[in-house]
Amino acid sequence: MGQTVEVNIAHRQVSASVRYDWGLTGATAIGESADVAVVVDVLSFTTTVTVALDAGIAVLPFRWGDHVAAERYARQHDAALAVGRARAAAGQISLSPASIRHAPPPARLVLPSPNGSTIAYELADRAGTCLAASLRNAAAVATWITERHDPAITTAAVIAAGERWPDGSLRPAVEDLWGRAR
């Protein structure tokens, strides 16, 4: 945890009260000094978060790719650990929103994902508040922010998670752009 990003100061958008960027690198560049960070990962993470919250499940984001650490994190927080979609059997929760509707709901769920959850996990200690937005809750997220933060003094960072090309580079995902613009 704690990736350091060296970028041109203009790319950090420090003079803007609402900042926007893509992926983990963009998130760490603009999210560190934000009062509120909003992660948008529509087709997986943030939609699954909204379905989980509808079911009364508290979601704990976690970075992708370290199953042993994720298991330890879930135990430390008395939470169930979502499994990868390809590994999910009947009754197990994965990154699929439908899996939450077909499984017994845990009180807490550790939900790793390669994009949105990893970004949210990285921003947890960097931004004042980190929220998950999708097409299902974009208006509610905007309302929550405006009701709790003075727009004259609040800095918000909106991060579209995007996807990854096979070489690991960012592939902007139009659905995340749409989720942000709603």
Side-chain angles (χ1 to χ4, degrees), residues 18-68:
V18 178
R19 304 167 184 171
Y20 182 79
D21 217 312
W22 287 90
L24 181 58
T25 302
T28 54
I30 68 168
E32 280 189 10
S33 60
D35 299 305
V36 179
V38 180
V39 177
V40 183
D41 186 6
V42 170
L43 290 183
S44 292
F45 175 68
T46 58
T47 298
T48 303
V49 168
T50 66
V51 173
L53 293 175
D54 286 348
I57 301 169
V59 176
L60 305 170
F62 198 75
R63 68 183 177 272
W64 183 256
D66 189 346
H67 190 71
V68 173

Side-chain angles (χ1 to χ4, degrees), residues 7-151:
V7 297
N8 182 308
I9 192 70
H11 297 160
R12 291 188 182 274
Q13 306 170 40
V14 293
S15 62
S17 61
V18 178
R19 304 167 184 171
Y20 182 79
D21 217 312
W22 287 90
L24 181 58
T25 302
T28 54
I30 68 168
E32 280 189 10
S33 60
D35 299 305
V36 179
V38 180
V39 177
V40 183
D41 186 6
V42 170
L43 290 183
S44 292
F45 175 68
T46 58
T47 298
T48 303
V49 168
T50 66
V51 173
L53 293 175
D54 286 348
I57 301 169
V59 176
L60 305 170
F62 198 75
R63 68 183 177 272
W64 183 256
D66 189 346
H67 190 71
V68 173
E71 286 178 335
R72 184 173 46 249
Y73 188 75
R75 279 193 308 275
Q76 290 170 346
H77 291 88
D78 192 27
L81 175 61
V83 299
R85 284 183 204 219
R87 291 184 30 220
Q92 287 186 304
I93 296 175
S94 72
L95 262 176
S96 166
S99 71
I100 290 176
R101 292 198 171 115
H102 298 102
R108 283 173 296 291
L109 176 66
V110 173
L111 187 62
S113 82
N115 302 304
S117 188
T118 296
I119 292 167
Y121 182 80
E122 288 293 328
L123 289 178
D125 294 329
R126 296 174 187 238
T129 300
C130 187
L131 304 172
S134 72
L135 295 172
R136 295 182 80 229
N137 73 336
V141 168
T143 299
W144 188 94
I145 293 169
T146 57
E147 288 177 352
R148 289 166 179 78
H149 294 275
D150 180 349

